[in-house]
Amino acid sequence: MTGRQQPAGDSCDTAFDCLDSARIEEAFSGSEPLTKSEADEIMARHRAQGHRLIRAVLFGHVIVAAALAFFYDTWAMAVPVATAGIGMFLVSARLFPNSFFTRCMAGVSLQVFVALHIYQMHGLPEMHFFFFTAFAAMIAYCDWKAMWPGTMLIIGQHLVFALLTNAGIDMRFFPEPYIGFTKLFFHFGIAMGHVGICGAWAHLRQKQIVEDARKNRDLRRALAVTTSAIGEIERQSSQLLAANEELHRARQAALSATQAKSQFLAHMSHEIRTPMTAILGYCDLLIDEASRDAALERHRAALTTIRRNGSHLLDVVNDILDLSKIEAGRMTVESEPVDVASLIADAAELVRVRAAEKRLRFEVVQEGALPSVIRSDVMRLRQILINLLGNAIKFTDRGTVRLAVRLRQGESPRLEFDVIDTGIGLSAEQLERLFTPFHQADATTSRRFGGTGLGLAISRRLAQMLGGDIEATSEPGAGSMFRLYVATGSLDGVALSFGTNARTGALPAAIAADSPEGEPPSPLAEARLLLAEDGIDNQRLIAHILRKAGAQVEVVENGRLAVDAALAAVERGAAFDVILMDMQMPVVDGYQATSQLRTAGYEGSIIALTAHAMSGDRDRCLQAGCDNYTTKPIDRQQLIALLRHQIDRWRKGASAKSGRGGVSLPS
């Protein structure tokens, strides 16, 4: 579980700040594992369910044994063996309820009945595979050790019956009159393989049950701490209200101004992102079609220019929103495990194409051992690296761009990234104002290279929030060196590794690995989706993308119709796999529609689709009942991947609930 952290060095100005950093962060930053008694209690409840299942299976075996005895006239063997099989289970369950001994007896009883059925059917070879069904049933107990007594019984029974068969006694168990050691040990190997597979499955299921219980406990604790913190904040606010009325009014005025600014930026974001969804989406479709349509191929350059400039406009909007969140103090960073090799690989892959387009040499150099994992915010750290590397490539016309990475050990270890280029360089005067928002080196730089002058300012503020900073050295005409360093968190128990330097242009193994294969031609085949979107252009675009990916798509234009369509589909027994819900719609918006569906008991997957990208928008969507969140303009591949992930996750969860008598899986 990842925790939020405030910018490094900030103090507690209010009671809320202190509670947030001291108690809530502690609740969310991690927890100890379940105690043995807690784990035993959790498993006892699950094994009680397993016990009821095994009991039903055994009584089913009694019925099967009686039926086979009737058809094959094996009453003399069926009655005592079936009585012994069901009896040993019932007696052990009565004398030793919910015990390991009872689970062992259940495994033995299951194998006894399987052996009896093989005898009753005169040793048909295919009946021997029913031993595996007995092992599979034992998975319900989530106890791999309880499978072994039954396994030993099988091995011993096979051995005794083989010896008796070889002695001329017809045991009606093996179809052959003589059983060699090769076949006998082959049967032993099959039995061991069966118990190994089913035992591993049972062990993994037990671990998952305990881990889920731990997470639920952590969530309950976090909720209790959060509720307590809110109550304490309310009490302190009540005590301070009378003595600070004038300050309160001033603060309210400032909050109103901040809220007005946030509302304006959110509205601006929505008004820009919504048409950008159609512009970029349809542009992507035309570019794709150009490879198959000669008439469009001659317009590829123009389409690519539209796409590039649209993406640039979107980057400008994102930079403005990021800067606004930072200045308002609403920007937060995560503290989560970050795979260092993957981080470097991702950043390098994103900028390597730009370097190749300018015929620049791009190198990644590892200086000394690096930790495999640090604690930071992977998304923000990647954002900073891409900005620094992108600037280096932008301002370098020939030569080399190098990324050097090293670890600085000490009381407070840090990871350093040096971005070195052979570009135009900077003067001392230009360096002084380099990290000021909306400032570039000079006016000619802006005209020649473009940009808003926000990237470095945002990157430095983010680096400081990650416990580090950005430093720059440069000489005009001799290139520049930007050093990013961030805190790694504790490295106790973290492995250090030496990678392969990329001084010849090759990247480390993690970076140079082949990119994954493209998505399958129909990644959403057989998926049933409901798209709730009021904009006709975006309706056509998103529906086209989803249908091209193989999905069946139903489109509605407001939240009320979305609620009606979703509930009607459930009543028909053909529930949607995912509802893609635009959150700003007429009649009933996406927030209200999602809340109404959850209130009505709808348990299907809902993904919020919104043009808002301000702090808190994601939380608002999740609080309304959405399972996930994505923003406009949509990225086709990311949207399809998100839908595929959500469908798989929902189907697995629904299947598990169905197995426990819960919800049914949407068709």
Side-chain angles (χ1 to χ4, degrees):
M1 188 180 297
T2 59
R4 299 280 184 180
Q5 68 179 31
Q6 295 296 329
D10 283 3
S11 60
C12 297
D13 296 327
T14 66
F16 177 81
D17 293 332
C18 294
L19 287 170
D20 182 70
S21 61
R23 298 177 61 188
I24 298 179
E25 183 177 354
E26 179 182 355
F28 282 93
S29 61
S31 68
E32 70 281 358
L34 295 178
T35 63
K36 185 178 185 303
S37 60
E38 289 174 332
D40 290 344
E41 182 181 354
I42 294 296
M43 292 310 304
R45 292 198 294 267
H46 284 272
R47 284 168 177 161
Q49 297 176 359
H51 179 78
R52 291 191 290 271
L53 174 64
I54 296 298
R55 182 175 57 192
V57 171
L58 286 173
F59 277 110
H61 275 301
V62 171
I63 296 173
V64 171
L68 292 175
F70 177 80
F71 283 107
Y72 293 99
D73 192 22
T74 55
W75 292 104
M77 182 64 70
V79 171
V81 173
T83 302
I86 194 68
M88 70 174 70
F89 171 75
L90 294 177
V91 170
S92 62
R94 180 72 175 178
L95 297 178
F96 309 101
N98 300 322
S99 67
F100 175 72
F101 177 77
T102 298
R103 295 195 291 274
C104 291
M105 288 300 99
V108 171
S109 298
L110 287 168
Q111 303 300 345
V112 165
F113 273 106
V114 172
L116 173 61
H117 298 335
I118 294 175
Y119 171 83
Q120 289 179 300
M121 299 186 72
H122 303 284
L124 291 177
E126 58 269 21
M127 289 296 295
H128 287 255
F129 287 97
F130 280 94
F131 284 116
F132 184 70
T133 64
F135 287 126
M138 287 292 291
I139 295 174
Y141 277 136
C142 299
D143 188 350
W144 64 272
K145 296 179 182 178
M147 298 181 182
W148 282 101
T151 305
M152 295 299 101
L153 174 66
I154 293 172
I155 293 175
Q157 179 258 338
H158 273 70
L159 182 60
V160 171
F161 276 36
L163 293 174
L164 293 176
T165 299
N166 292 344
I169 302 174
D170 184 10
M171 300 306 298
R172 300 175 66 179
F173 192 79
F174 296 103
E176 300 88 350
Y178 182 82
I179 310 302
F181 281 106
T182 300
K183 181 170 183 177
L184 188 61
F185 281 100
F186 175 71
H187 278 272
F188 292 168
I190 292 177
M192 297 295 287
H194 287 174
V195 74
I197 294 172
C198 295
W201 192 351
H203 180 64
L204 291 175
R205 186 167 182 267
Q206 177 181 355
K207 290 180 62 177
Q208 186 61 50
I209 290 170
V210 173
E211 177 64 15
D212 289 345
R214 183 192 67 79
K215 291 180 179 178
N216 289 334
R217 182 203 61 186
D218 293 345
L219 288 174
R220 290 193 299 270
R221 288 182 178 179
L223 179 60
V225 171
T226 305
T227 303
S228 174
I230 293 173
E232 190 168 346
I233 292 168
E234 292 175 348
R235 288 192 298 272
Q236 293 183 3
S237 297
S238 178
Q239 294 171 358
L240 294 172
L241 183 61
N244 296 281
E245 187 63 30
E246 188 64 30
L247 180 61
H248 176 72
R249 284 196 295 268
R251 183 172 180 272
Q252 285 299 113
L255 288 175
S256 297
T258 301
Q259 184 177 8
K261 175 183 175 182
S262 298
Q263 289 175 348
F264 168 75
L265 288 173
H267 181 72
M268 181 191 72
S269 171
H270 179 268
E271 292 303 314
I272 294 177
R273 287 173 178 271
T274 297
M276 286 301 295
T277 299
I279 294 171
L280 296 181
Y282 281 110
C283 190
D284 285 338
L285 293 179
L286 289 174
I287 291 174
D288 287 344
E289 291 295 328
S291 61
R292 298 183 293 273
D293 189 331
L296 284 175
E297 178 62 30
R298 59 194 179 95
H299 298 298
R300 177 184 290 274
L303 293 170
T304 303
T305 300
I306 295 172
R307 184 66 175 84
R308 182 176 63 253
N309 284 275
S311 298
H312 175 68
L313 175 59
L314 186 60
D315 290 340
V316 172
V317 173
N318 290 335
D319 283 346
I320 293 174
L321 293 177
D322 278 348
L323 184 64
S324 174
K325 286 186 283 186
I326 290 173
E327 291 182 343
R330 296 187 177 184
M331 176 70 78
T332 56
V333 294
E334 301 286 341
S335 177
E336 57 190 352
V338 176
D339 186 310
V340 175
S342 296
L343 169 70
I344 299 171
D346 290 345
E349 283 296 322
L350 288 172
V351 301
R352 184 164 46 178
V353 175
R354 302 186 211 170
E357 289 174 351
K358 297 187 69 175
R359 299 184 180 278
L360 298 175
R361 181 183 176 88
F362 179 59
E363 298 179 349
V364 178
V365 179
Q366 176 178 329
E367 299 180 357
L370 296 181
S372 57
V373 176
I374 64 171
R375 291 200 68 84
S376 189
D377 187 318
V378 64
M379 182 181 71
R380 296 304 180 185
L381 192 50
R382 186 189 298 115
Q383 177 181 346
I384 301 170
L385 278 176
I386 292 172
N387 178 262
L388 295 178
L389 290 169
N391 282 345
I393 294 170
K394 181 197 296 185
F395 296 107
T396 302
D397 291 329
R398 60 179 180 273
T400 302
V401 173
R402 172 180 296 184
L403 172 62
V405 190
R406 72 184 66 83
L407 173 67
R408 292 291 186 190
Q409 296 277 20
E411 183 177 348
S412 299
R414 69 188 196 185
L415 199 61
E416 293 184 352
F417 302 85
D418 287 355
V419 177
I420 307 165
D421 64 62
T422 57
I424 61 176
L426 298 165
S427 66
E429 181 182 356
Q430 291 170 336
L431 282 174
E432 288 181 0
R433 61 175 185 270
L434 189 61
F435 295 100
T436 304
F438 302 103
H439 280 273
Q440 290 193 329
D442 53 40
T444 58
T445 300
S446 179
R447 289 194 298 268
R448 179 182 174 189
F449 296 99
T452 61
L454 290 176
L456 285 176
I458 294 171
S459 294
R460 188 172 206 179
R461 296 289 291 274
L462 290 175
Q464 292 168 348
M465 295 174 71
L466 295 174
D469 205 344
I470 297 177
E471 301 170 349
T473 59
S474 181
E475 292 183 13
S480 305
M481 190 276 284
F482 285 81
R483 173 168 294 168
L484 161 69
Y485 60 90
V486 294
T488 65
S490 175
L491 296 180
D492 294 341
V494 177
L496 300 180
S497 62
F498 292 87
T500 301
N501 284 351
R503 300 187 181 278
T504 61
L507 297 174
I511 300 175
D514 292 337
S515 60
E517 296 181 0
E519 62 183 27
S522 300
L524 299 180
E526 301 182 2
R528 299 188 68 255
L529 309 178
L530 175 63
L531 171 62
E533 163 66 56
D534 61 312
I536 187 65
D537 292 333
N538 287 334
Q539 282 182 1
R540 294 171 178 170
L541 171 65
I542 299 173
H544 176 79
I545 291 173
L546 299 179
R547 286 170 179 148
K548 190 174 181 181
Q552 303 175 34
V553 185
E554 182 175 335
V555 181
V556 295
E557 62 266 22
N558 62 59
R560 179 179 296 170
L561 295 178
V563 173
D564 294 342
L567 297 181
V570 172
E571 292 178 0
R572 295 195 306 269
F576 295 103
D577 292 303
V578 175
I579 299 176
L580 197 59
M581 183 78 74
D582 184 23
M583 305 311 284
Q584 294 83 33
M585 292 186 291
V587 185
V588 174
D589 65 23
Y591 301 101
Q592 295 172 321
T594 302
S595 297
Q596 291 175 14
L597 284 171
R598 296 309 188 198
T599 302
Y602 185 82
E603 297 185 353
S605 184
I606 303 176
I607 296 178
L609 178 62
T610 176
H612 287 171
M614 294 298 290
S615 176
D617 289 328
R618 177 184 176 87
D619 292 339
R620 185 183 176 195
C621 294
L622 297 182
Q623 288 170 3
C626 296
D627 299 286
N628 218 316
Y629 166 96
T630 188
T631 60
K632 299 176 183 176
I634 62 170
D635 181 289
R636 179 180 55 182
Q637 293 181 347
Q638 290 181 1
L639 177 63
I640 292 173
L642 175 62
L643 288 169
R644 183 71 265 166
H645 170 76
Q646 202 67 35
I647 291 171
D648 292 342
R649 181 179 178 185
W650 159 244
R651 287 179 175 174
K652 289 179 182 178
S655 178
K657 289 182 180 179
S658 178
R660 298 193 297 269
V663 299
S664 60
L665 185 67
S667 59

